[in-house]
Amino acid sequence: MLAASATLPRVMAATSADQNPESNEAVAHRLKRTREAMKLNQAAWCRLVGIDAPQWNNYETGGRRITIDAALKVCKATGVGLNWIYRGMASDLPVNLATAIQALERAARKRS
């Protein structure tokens, strides 16, 4: 697995409403962005990572914080690391995903 370069900027520091990258809202945002970067809808994502759709939807919308067991499934299926999921550290992302997530974030900023 190739890790994102240390010179890459933090992909998503936090949402504008919440500046804490470890908050439930920020974790949910990163989960959604990771799925979107892989160009998968929720159903395909859930099949890939082995998590039930209603459970995943709760994680991605911030209704519940992702459990460590579920996060490990995401890591195993995608190559992302726990530091990305829980702390927002881009160095814990494969380069291709870091690049795709950066592009999604730039596009979202342009729309707002």
Side-chain angles (χ1 to χ4, degrees), residues 11 14 21 27 29 32 36 44 47 52 56 58-59 62-63 77 82 84 87-90 96 98 102:
V11 173
V27 170
H29 182 80
K32 182 176 182 178
E36 291 171 339
R47 284 190 298 275
D52 293 333
W56 178 260
N58 277 328
Y59 298 151
L82 292 173
W84 166 249
R87 300 175 67 207
M89 296 174 67
N96 61 327
Q102 282 178 325

Side-chain angles (χ1 to χ4, degrees), residues 33-101:
R33 280 291 191 248
T34 302
R35 176 183 59 78
E36 291 171 339
M38 293 185 69
K39 299 182 177 165
L40 295 172
N41 62 29
Q42 280 192 358
W45 175 266
C46 289
R47 284 190 298 275
L48 174 70
V49 298
I51 297 172
D52 293 333
Q55 185 179 16
W56 178 260
N57 190 55
N58 277 328
Y59 298 151
E60 193 174 290
T61 60
R64 296 193 74 151
R65 188 172 189 87
I66 190 169
T67 65
I68 189 69
D69 291 333
L72 288 170
K73 287 180 179 183
V74 171
C75 294
K76 184 176 181 181
T78 66
V80 304
L82 292 173
N83 276 326
W84 166 249
I85 293 171
Y86 289 110
R87 300 175 67 207
M89 296 174 67
S91 60
D92 224 12
L93 278 172
V95 173
N96 61 327
L97 278 178
T99 302
I101 291 168

Side-chain angles (χ1 to χ4, degrees), residues 9-24:
R10 183 176 211 123
V11 173
M12 198 226 53
T15 63
S16 59
D18 185 355
Q19 295 302 309
N20 178 1
E22 296 175 9
S23 72
N24 197 44

